[in-house]
Amino acid sequence: MTFRWGILGTADIADVFIRAVNNSSNCRVQAAAGRDIGRAKQWAAARDIPETYGSYGDLIASDSIDGVYVPLPNSLHHEWTLVAIAAGKPVLCEKPLATNAAQAQEIRDAAERAAVPVAEGFMYRHHPIYQEVFKLIGSGVIGEVTTIEAQFTFFLDDPTSISASAPLAGGALMDVGCYCVHLARWVAGCEPARVSAFEIRREVDETMVGLLAFPNEILAHFETGIAGAERHRAEIAGTTGSIVLPSPWHPGEEKAELLVRRWGQPDETFTVPGADPYQLQVEQFVDAVTGGKPFAWQLDDSVNNMAVIDALFASAATGRSVTLT
């Protein structure tokens, strides 16, 4: 049986998803929905998508699809994920899952009650380079982890875009900084006890620098922005060295590399086979749904990530550190 996807909306990221599905072994795109049916039909026809709907609700209700992909603006993730859950349709929702932790918890609780699989689309975590990262950390090559540094910035030259819209829950932290927060939590292996943040804000947060303090004495700091040059980088430092990821969010489809740096020694390069993390994410989700297995990442992780994001926004607004319970 081939899993049939329905896509809500025609966002640019949907093209990346379609490519991943077309290259996958276990699913296909069956339908798309848009509020402008004429535009949606043109968009779907250009991508060889068989069915088109003039409303998101009609697509979700259709018997022609087995699951829903939600690449809508952040402000709509909560609403339409809940509609899909109520209809019994599994959901892969682009990050962030919601606009705050309370909404994320509502999605998690609804999914659990209905026994409907729901996953948040942090694709980067499916790339095989992270198996190598955690293997190296576990081997002790950098000693005990002490700090985590991450950057995800780009220059947004369209002030009318979704990422620049406060009503649509845009801004640097929600758009790309959420990756930095997620990586820090993943590597630290626990939730931060306290966070602090500073931001440059106009319509939305255009630049943010944040600090996360974990109870296991690991500190993480990150920079995210939509008003500066594009930069992708992460470094996990320990007592005897560090692991540098030159491209942590898009590690590479042909090959992926990381560096191990130790004082007084030559840098050591580790190379792993490349992969499309979107494709791996889609295939893993479909395998979990059709095989009755839990998704690799549960929604508690999504709730916890949003709780940290909430606290970072609160710190930036008040100028004070925020303690998480």
Side-chain angles (χ1 to χ4, degrees):
M1 171 184 169
T2 300
F3 189 89
R4 301 165 301 174
W5 285 101
I7 302 175
L8 302 188
T10 58
D12 289 345
I13 191 63
D15 280 320
V16 179
F17 173 80
I18 291 167
R19 175 176 174 263
V21 170
N22 288 343
N23 290 333
S24 73
S25 60
N26 56 7
C27 54
R28 71 172 188 266
V29 177
Q30 178 66 25
R35 293 179 175 178
D36 180 335
I37 185 62
R39 181 173 179 271
K41 283 184 175 180
Q42 289 181 343
W43 186 88
R47 292 157 178 82
D48 296 322
I49 298 173
E51 298 181 30
T52 313
Y53 295 84
S55 79
Y56 303 148
D58 287 346
L59 181 148
I60 291 170
S62 171
D63 292 333
S64 296
I65 64 161
D66 302 307
V68 178
Y69 173 60
V70 181
L72 297 168
N74 296 336
S75 59
L76 299 177
H77 288 184
H78 170 256
E79 174 187 354
W80 288 105
T81 298
L82 288 178
V83 171
I85 291 170
K89 298 291 173 63
V91 183
L92 176 59
C93 179
E94 270 303 323
K95 57 74 203 164
L97 182 67
T99 59
N100 54 54
Q103 286 188 352
Q105 185 166 335
E106 187 177 357
I107 290 171
R108 181 198 64 188
D109 294 347
E112 288 180 354
R113 285 194 303 269
V116 173
V118 176
E120 183 177 21
F122 271 117
M123 51 71 194
Y124 86 100
R125 59 192 176 188
H126 295 273
H127 196 282
I129 199 169
Y130 284 99
Q131 298 173 20
E132 187 69 20
V133 167
F134 284 97
K135 177 182 175 182
L136 287 168
I137 292 173
S139 75
V141 71
I142 63 169
E144 296 295 323
V145 175
T146 56
T147 61
I148 304 156
E149 176 188 0
Q151 287 133 7
F152 199 163
T153 69
F154 69 98
F155 185 77
L156 182 66
D157 55 5
D158 180 6
T160 67
S161 75
I162 291 170
S163 297
S165 170
L168 296 179
L173 182 57
M174 292 288 280
D175 194 23
V176 291
C178 55
Y179 286 96
C180 301
V181 172
H182 190 273
L183 178 62
R185 294 176 46 252
W186 189 13
V187 173
C190 58
E191 301 304 326
R194 187 160 53 97
V195 305
S196 296
F198 294 90
E199 68 178 8
I200 304 298
R201 174 176 290 272
R202 292 182 176 82
E203 176 75 13
V204 295
D205 56 306
E206 294 187 352
T207 304
M208 178 181 283
V209 175
L211 175 67
L212 286 67
F214 293 90
N216 57 0
E217 298 187 343
I218 293 175
L219 296 179
H221 53 111
F222 71 88
E223 179 184 348
T224 187
I226 58 173
E230 186 152 351
R231 287 179 297 147
H232 301 191
R233 186 181 183 275
E235 183 166 5
I236 302 160
T239 50
T240 60
S242 68
I243 296 169
V244 178
L245 291 156
S247 186
W249 322 120
H250 303 280
E253 294 188 24
E254 298 300 323
K255 66 176 182 177
E257 293 184 343
L258 60 82
L259 302 176
V260 171
R261 289 181 169 164
R262 284 165 287 191
W263 184 258
Q265 299 183 41
D267 290 351
E268 190 174 0
T269 301
F270 290 79
T271 303
V272 302
D276 177 0
Y278 290 97
Q279 181 182 341
L280 294 178
Q281 175 178 251
V282 164
E283 290 179 339
Q284 200 276 330
F285 181 84
V286 171
D287 284 345
V289 171
T290 58
K293 302 174 184 178
F295 191 61
W297 290 85
Q298 298 299 299
L299 290 182
D300 283 346
D301 179 71
S302 303
V303 174
N304 292 339
N305 211 60
M306 286 309 309
V308 176
I309 289 171
D310 288 351
L312 288 164
F313 278 132
S315 175
T318 63
R320 299 178 180 179
S321 295
V322 174
T323 300
L324 289 89
T325 55

